[in-house]
Amino acid sequence: KQEVTQIPAALSVPEGENLVLNCSFTDSAIYNLQWFRQDPGKGLTSLLLIQSSQREQTSGRLNASLDKSSGRSTLYIAASQPGDSATYLCAVGGSSNTGKLIFGQGTTLQVKP
Amino acid sequence: GAGVSQSPSNKVTEKGKDVELRCDPISGHTALYWYRQSLGQGLEFLIYFQGNSAPDKSGLPSDRFSAERTGGSVSTLTIQRTQQEDSAVYLCASSRQGAREQYFGPGTRLTVT
């Protein structure tokens, strides 16, 4: 059974810092991995999708990497801003047939001005 | 519409009553997913639709839960004889086809009293 873990559970940094959020998964036979952002009381916003054949994806100040063999992904946020404060969720897609996602518990990020 | 929409945004119901939650996916998206987010369990997959068929119902917690999709578009999640443990945020997502990037709606917050 696939299990997804995110560390740390919470993180507080001053504005301007570069930071890394970690995601690990127990079964390396994944189809894709998706990073989401969730603001309080809101739905999920897709940030980046990495296919299993890819090593990384970039969007603006965000960079996500994937190492299937070690069961790890990282989300790198450059030059953090207070508007980046949110919960970041990692989700693993294990099947090419359904796309069902298995989620980690999330990392709650606070960026202080 | 531009994104996935869900209704109602909030629903308060008495224990034992039936509820229906609605999801309108992004136009043209053939895959539709229901997830549940609760404090104790995090985000859990419930069911996946491809068109009007549901090839993966593995996440439905009991036979009180059912879902249907009509016209390859709107989906309804029905919970019969609601229990307090059903209280959660129910999220719907859609994608162009299975195993592709998923886009989430704002969710329906269900409270069973």
Side-chain angles (χ1 to χ4, degrees):
Chain A
K1 178 186 173 185
Q2 179 74 270
E3 292 183 1
V4 181
T5 303
Q6 292 186 247
I7 295 174
L11 181 63
S12 180
V13 301
E15 181 177 4
E17 270 204 10
N18 302 324
L19 57 101
V20 174
L21 307 182
N22 296 293
C23 172
S24 61
F25 44 95
T26 55
D27 185 349
S28 63
I30 68 170
Y31 188 74
N32 58 30
L33 185 146
Q34 199 165 350
W35 281 94
F36 295 90
R37 166 187 174 136
Q38 186 173 33
D39 293 284
K42 305 289 186 184
L44 277 63
T45 300
S46 178
L47 297 174
L48 290 164
L49 170 73
I50 310 178
Q51 301 293 349
S52 61
S53 58
Q54 298 175 319
R55 301 282 289 188
E56 65 178 339
Q57 282 286 341
T58 298
S59 176
R61 293 183 294 109
L62 305 179
N63 176 278
S65 68
L66 174 63
D67 184 342
K68 268 183 52 176
S69 61
S70 66
R72 294 183 181 181
S73 175
T74 61
L75 179 67
Y76 174 82
I77 303 176
S80 58
Q81 303 171 357
D84 295 331
S85 298
T87 295
Y88 290 80
L89 292 156
C90 164
V92 168
S95 167
S96 62
N97 293 326
T98 74
K100 160 184 164 182
L101 293 176
I102 307 296
F103 282 83
Q105 295 291 329
T107 294
T108 299
L109 171 67
Q110 182 184 32
V111 181
K112 297 180 179 178
Chain B
V4 178
S5 60
Q6 293 185 244
S7 60
S9 55
N10 282 284
K11 177 72 176 179
V12 180
T13 190
E14 292 180 354
K15 177 182 172 181
K17 294 286 180 69
D18 297 352
V19 295
E20 285 188 351
L21 312 179
R22 177 187 169 107
C23 172
D24 284 86
I26 293 172
S27 178
H29 281 194
T30 61
L32 186 148
Y33 307 81
W34 284 97
Y35 295 86
R36 178 169 74 173
Q37 187 172 32
S38 56
L39 281 176
Q41 300 298 322
L43 237 156
E44 306 171 286
F45 166 81
L46 296 177
I47 187 169
Y48 157 67
F49 285 93
Q50 179 56 45
N52 293 334
S53 301
D56 190 350
K57 307 178 184 180
S58 61
L60 293 178
S62 76
D63 58 7
R64 296 185 297 103
F65 288 71
S66 64
E68 66 174 11
R69 189 179 185 194
T70 56
S73 181
V74 173
S75 176
T76 302
L77 177 68
T78 301
I79 309 173
Q80 296 179 312
R81 304 181 303 281
T82 52
Q83 303 294 313
Q84 288 188 332
E85 61 262 29
D86 300 334
S87 295
V89 176
Y90 290 82
L91 293 161
C92 175
S94 70
S95 64
R96 289 193 181 278
Q97 53 184 296
R100 298 293 182 264
E101 187 170 8
Q102 295 184 27
Y103 298 88
F104 280 74
T108 293
R109 181 175 297 277
L110 175 66
T111 304
V112 182
T113 61

